[in-house]
Amino acid sequence: MMEKGRLFLIPVTLGEINPLEVLPISVKKVIEVVDHYIVENEKSARRFIKSIHPGKSQPSLQLSTLNKFTESSELPTFLKPCHEGTHVGLMSEAGVPGVADPGSQIVAMAHEQGIRVQPLVGPSSILMAMMSSGMNGQSFAFNGYLPIDKHDRRKRIKQLESLSLRENQSQALIETPYRNNKLIEELVTTLHPETRLCIACDITLPTEYIRTFSVKKWKQNIPDIHKRPALFIIHA
């Protein structure tokens, strides 16, 4: 009986930086031998593969695209190489696949089909922000994006603050980078002055910025992080 190929969960950098400054050599070794990939964006995935292994033959790469436009009917074909004994790599657009990322669907399918899932070490903005926030690393939650509607956003912010206070649980969230500054304004005007807020952006990059202060202190000096990938953590 043919041994199935593995599904490798391949982390990528969080921005423009030499990959081997933040990724272990094990990632390079896997990319050297894997030619089939499931990716969010083919162009950026090829660029990343070339940056970590310049000698890799680009024509040999076979990439399947998994994003919000992918039809569910296409998904079963993505793991076909594994059933033929060939390894497949799953890559996010940034950071680790399967976390705040559509790749979790493929990972679930792999488990159902008896395909070994092998995660590789790499930067996760959620964990790295949490590590450096000084907040409760024993109990925290990632909440993704807030509602777009202004009234619903303020309501959700208050809900997260109440949950943090009640459960002693840190609450992490993200925003589309071009709306970062607006979100900071809403956070500091909605949260209690003594609630702590961590703002972490450009994690692992030369422009990295990570600070935790009370909302009262943030009001005195609000940073400009427009269009910079960021993560926000609340603890009441």
Side-chain angles (χ1 to χ4, degrees):
M1 183 177 177
M2 180 185 294
E3 183 178 352
K4 294 178 182 177
R6 302 177 198 172
L7 177 66
F8 285 99
L9 308 186
I10 301 175
V12 304
T13 57
L14 296 172
E16 295 297 324
I17 189 172
N18 181 345
L20 295 181
E21 287 189 23
V22 293
L23 295 171
I25 195 67
S26 57
V27 174
K28 183 176 186 294
K29 288 179 178 178
V30 167
I31 287 178
E32 285 175 353
V33 298
V34 173
D35 288 331
H36 290 73
Y37 294 90
I38 303 166
V39 304
E40 279 193 78
N41 180 284
E42 181 173 340
K43 185 176 179 180
S44 60
R46 286 183 179 276
R47 187 167 62 245
F48 171 74
I49 291 169
K50 186 173 182 179
S51 71
I52 202 167
H53 184 36
K56 186 80 171 178
S57 168
Q58 289 288 323
S60 72
L61 298 178
Q62 297 187 43
L63 276 61
S64 300
T65 304
L66 176 64
N67 54 37
K68 61 183 179 180
F69 303 110
T70 306
E71 296 289 340
S72 57
S73 59
E74 297 178 57
L75 300 186
T77 65
F78 289 179
L79 293 175
K80 186 179 177 183
C82 290
H83 292 285
E84 298 169 349
T86 299
H87 298 319
V88 172
L90 174 63
M91 292 195 302
S92 177
E93 185 70 1
V96 296
V99 179
D101 173 79
S104 58
Q105 299 169 271
I106 294 295
V107 176
M109 286 176 55
H111 286 299
E112 291 169 3
Q113 296 174 23
I115 295 167
R116 179 180 170 185
V117 175
Q118 186 168 340
L120 302 179
V121 176
S124 164
S125 59
I126 299 170
L127 287 179
M128 296 181 80
M130 195 66 235
M131 287 164 58
S132 50
S133 69
M135 296 185 185
N136 190 358
Q138 296 290 338
S139 179
F140 62 91
F142 176 66
N143 299 278
Y145 294 92
L146 296 181
I148 296 295
D149 178 79
K150 186 175 181 179
H151 173 76
D152 291 341
R153 282 165 71 86
R154 292 178 68 87
K155 181 180 178 182
R156 182 61 175 151
I157 290 170
K158 294 302 290 185
Q159 287 175 341
L160 292 176
E161 184 178 44
S162 297
L163 179 59
S164 175
L165 183 62
R166 185 172 67 250
E167 303 289 341
N168 186 30
Q169 184 181 68
S170 301
Q171 302 295 325
L173 54 113
I174 53 175
E175 180 53 284
T176 303
Y178 70 85
R179 289 203 290 256
N180 280 341
N181 289 348
K182 182 63 177 176
L183 176 59
I184 295 174
E185 290 177 17
E186 291 176 328
L187 289 171
V188 300
T189 56
T190 305
L191 295 168
H192 187 278
E194 297 306 320
T195 291
R196 286 187 297 157
L197 171 65
C198 175
I199 300 174
C201 73
D202 293 345
I203 293 175
T204 72
L205 304 182
T207 52
E208 182 178 81
Y209 175 94
I210 305 172
R211 301 286 189 279
T212 298
F213 297 120
S214 67
V215 166
K216 179 171 60 179
K217 187 167 183 179
W218 275 120
K219 286 182 179 180
Q220 300 169 11
N221 186 20
I222 295 178
D224 177 4
I225 57 168
H226 184 56
K227 291 187 177 180
R228 295 166 67 184
L231 197 133
F232 307 86
I233 309 174
I234 298 165
H235 198 105

